[in-house]
């Protein structure tokens, strides 16, 4: 899991019965995680550090890359060969990183995120470098700010661990894409939530303690969460591969690509992939 690692990315419709939201006791996980991510920006979280002016200039010259999972560069074949004029939604992807790079590469970019401070990083880069980029605040499961079929690409890096259900995320992605449009999605291997985070982060030991699917809210009381993660930490939820990949299929997508990556610093990297990524197409 991401607690305590310094590695995170930055939540109302109900998902399948496999999801855990039906027993959650936190009244508003969206508001809780919005405040958490605003604080992470203040603390300089690595996924909240904007790209440099030099990065933008290189992207304008055609030398660019973005990450979907971990530190792995996205296979450029997963994106249109020419981004010029393409409408791209960077979903739950604030922080001044992926969105500005894609905008500098020629796309018309909208960054949608739950944290005003994360969006502020994108706004800063756009103003600094004169980019065609707009920002929208909201819950990744509710894209009602957008009409049907208005994007060519949805770029959705690891972030849906911060919402208790993901079925609505996939349905909304399908709705806002044009026929033939693509969804690039990154998410956690649910098996990483099996392990005790303190043993993993502090001693590098893989100690199985949790049943899956996992939720901070159902696994721990508020007092325990505060002790283990800090009272202001973002709430995390595991999701089954049925919900992650099967959910995309149920929404109507055709999955055409798959990739995985280890965690860049976690001890679990020696034993299993921490991240999965899918490329999916909305049939034309």
């Amino acid at each position: 899991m991401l607690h305590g690692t310094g590695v995170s990315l930055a939540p109302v419709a109900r998902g399948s019965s496999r999801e855990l939201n039906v027993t959650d006791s936190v009244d508003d996980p969206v508001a809780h995680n919005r405040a958490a991510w605003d604080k992470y920006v203040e603390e300089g979280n690595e996924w909240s550090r904007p790209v440099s002016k030099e990065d933008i200039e290189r992207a304008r010259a055609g030398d660019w890359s973005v990450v979907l999972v971990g530190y792995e560069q996205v296979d450029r074949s997963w994106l249109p060969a020419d981004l010029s004029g393409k409408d791209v939604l960077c979903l739950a992807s604030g922080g001044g990183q992926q969105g500005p790079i894609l905008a500098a590469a020629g796309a018309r970019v909208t960054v949608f995120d739950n944290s005003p401070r994360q969006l502020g990083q994108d706004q800063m880069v756009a103003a600094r470098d004169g980019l065609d980029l707009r920002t929208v605040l909201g819950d990744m499961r509710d894209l009602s700010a957008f009409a049907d079929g208005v994007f060519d690409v949805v770029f959705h890096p690891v972030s849906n661990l911060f919402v208790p259900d993901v079925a609505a995320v996939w349905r909304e992605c399908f709705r806002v894409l044009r026929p033939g449009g693509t969804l690039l999605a990154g998410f956690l291997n649910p098996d990483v939530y099996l392990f005790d985070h303190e043993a993993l982060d502090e001693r590098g030991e893989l100690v199985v303690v949790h049943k899956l699917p996992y939720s901070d809210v159902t696994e721990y009381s508020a007092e325990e969460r505060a002790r283990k993660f800090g009272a202001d930490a973002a709430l995390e939820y595991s999701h089954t591969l049925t919900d992650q990949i099967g959910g995309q299929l149920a929404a109507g997508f055709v999955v055409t690509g798959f990739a995985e990556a280890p965690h860049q610093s976690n001890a679990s990297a020696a034993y299993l992939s921490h991240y999965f990524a899918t490329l999916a197409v909305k049939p034309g």
Side-chain angles (χ1 to χ4, degrees):
M1 66 186 68
L2 300 190
H3 287 304
T5 66
V7 180
S8 303
L9 279 178
V12 167
R14 297 301 185 190
S16 96
S17 60
R18 299 173 65 88
E19 301 279 9
L20 292 173
N21 60 302
V22 293
T23 55
D24 284 355
S25 59
V26 173
D27 290 336
D28 192 347
V30 175
H32 180 98
N33 283 352
R34 178 172 293 166
W37 270 98
D38 281 351
K39 185 175 181 182
Y40 291 161
V41 175
E42 294 176 6
E43 295 170 345
N45 183 279
E46 68 173 313
W47 300 113
S48 300
R49 300 171 194 162
V51 294
S52 69
K53 192 173 185 65
E54 290 72 26
D55 293 328
I56 295 298
E57 290 306 313
R58 284 193 294 270
R60 281 182 163 138
D63 177 17
W64 60 270
S65 64
V66 287
V67 297
L68 190 64
V69 290
Y71 289 173
E72 299 292 321
Q73 296 182 5
V74 173
D75 186 334
R76 286 280 290 267
S77 70
W78 282 25
L79 288 158
D82 183 2
L83 284 172
S84 299
K86 297 295 185 182
D87 292 300
V88 175
L89 174 63
C90 288
L91 179 61
S93 182
Q97 298 182 0
Q98 298 98 347
I101 291 294
L102 293 171
R108 292 190 294 261
V109 172
T110 299
V111 181
F112 186 96
D113 200 274
N114 185 39
S115 161
R117 295 296 298 273
Q118 279 282 83
L119 293 176
Q121 304 296 70
D122 294 277
Q123 293 161 1
M124 182 276 290
V125 178
R128 182 191 70 195
D129 298 324
L131 299 173
D132 183 4
L133 180 151
R134 65 168 175 154
T135 60
V136 179
L137 178 70
D139 178 343
M140 70 180 82
R141 298 167 297 172
D142 179 6
L143 303 183
S144 57
F146 310 117
D148 296 352
V150 292
F151 294 105
D152 300 296
V153 176
V154 174
F155 188 88
H156 181 46
V158 179
S159 56
N160 67 28
L161 70 155
F162 299 117
V163 295
D165 54 295
V166 296
V169 177
W170 307 133
R171 290 195 299 267
E172 284 289 82
C173 287
F174 190 86
R175 182 184 64 78
V176 301
L177 277 168
R178 296 181 174 117
T182 53
L183 165 67
L184 286 73
F187 46 91
L188 287 182
N189 179 346
D191 288 352
V192 303
Y193 283 97
L194 289 167
F195 307 115
D196 177 78
H197 92 280
E198 291 168 314
L200 188 63
D201 293 343
E202 297 172 10
R203 302 188 299 277
E205 299 175 357
L206 276 66
V207 179
V208 174
V209 295
H210 301 301
K211 292 180 65 175
L212 300 180
Y214 165 94
S215 162
D216 287 344
V217 177
T218 56
E219 192 72 15
Y220 301 112
S221 68
E223 293 75 17
E224 289 171 324
R225 291 198 304 272
R227 179 178 61 81
K228 285 180 173 289
F229 312 126
D232 299 326
L235 300 171
E236 296 185 14
Y237 307 84
S238 82
H239 302 292
T240 67
L241 293 181
T242 297
D243 291 320
Q244 296 281 23
I245 299 174
Q248 294 180 47
L249 297 172
F253 284 106
V254 176
V255 175
T256 60
F258 183 84
E260 53 190 299
H263 194 284
Q264 53 271 21
S265 60
N266 191 287
S268 68
Y271 302 94
L272 76 166
S273 295
H274 205 90
Y275 302 107
F276 297 141
T278 52
L279 172 65
V281 178
K282 179 175 180 176

